Amino acid sequence: MATSKTGKTLGRPTQYTDILVDEICGRLACGEPMAKITQSAHMPDPVTIYRWLREKPAFNQRYADARKDGAHCLADQIQDIVDTEPLAVFDEAGNKRYDAGSIAHNRLRMEVSFGVFDEVLKNMALTRAASE
């Protein structure tokens, strides 16, 4: 991190450490998006992380492995959405009806999750092709 003329620390951390890499990769492996990870105050900004990916082959490999693990996590999240019953409401006669808004919300969550999952799979295929 940079320091001001008064000696105060400025900006986010930019020093590459095993502890930071462990946390980044661990959070990615659990399906957390990079955009959310880099919002944490103790994390470097995305530009720094992407620079590390270009400059540090070991980090690049750990990152790729974490992304693969994250894809499995994302698949589990999609399955949870599918398995979640929409909000049920009962009309005056006691008949069970599903709330249309709840159904639409779950559909949107699935569509977005499938889009993200598709991108992750494409990136994994590109990474694998580049390494061969």
Side-chain angles (χ1 to χ4, degrees):
M1 282 195 286
T3 55
S4 70
K5 292 178 184 177
T6 61
K8 290 185 179 180
T9 302
L10 300 174
R12 293 171 154 221
T14 56
Q15 186 172 359
Y16 181 88
T17 66
D18 289 337
I19 293 170
L20 206 51
V21 169
D22 288 345
E23 183 177 352
I24 291 167
C25 292
R27 290 171 69 177
L28 282 172
C30 291
E32 190 172 347
M34 181 60 76
K36 187 173 180 183
I37 293 169
T38 58
Q39 288 175 355
S40 297
H42 68 287
M43 284 290 162
D45 64 20
V47 173
T48 299
I49 292 174
Y50 295 129
R51 181 173 39 83
W52 291 348
L53 287 170
R54 288 189 309 275
E55 296 174 355
K56 301 185 181 302
F59 176 58
N60 192 308
Q61 183 58 53
R62 290 201 51 206
Y63 180 91
D65 292 343
R67 282 290 194 187
K68 288 176 192 173
D69 294 341
H72 293 287
C73 184
L74 186 55
D76 290 341
Q77 291 171 7
I78 292 169
Q79 187 62 49
D80 285 343
I81 295 168
V82 170
D83 291 343
T84 301
E85 184 177 11
L87 178 65
V89 293
F90 295 89
D91 61 19
E92 295 81 26
N95 299 315
K96 184 177 184 180
R97 305 274 188 235
Y98 290 108
D99 178 64
S102 177
I103 293 170
H105 177 72
N106 282 352
R107 183 178 297 134
L108 176 62
R109 288 178 61 206
M110 280 186 42
E111 288 172 2
V112 169
S113 296
F114 275 127
V116 170
F117 189 68
D118 188 47
E119 285 300 313
V120 168
L121 292 178
K122 285 178 188 174
N123 288 335
M124 285 170 49
L126 290 172
T127 302
R128 186 173 34 247
S131 66
E132 292 175 350

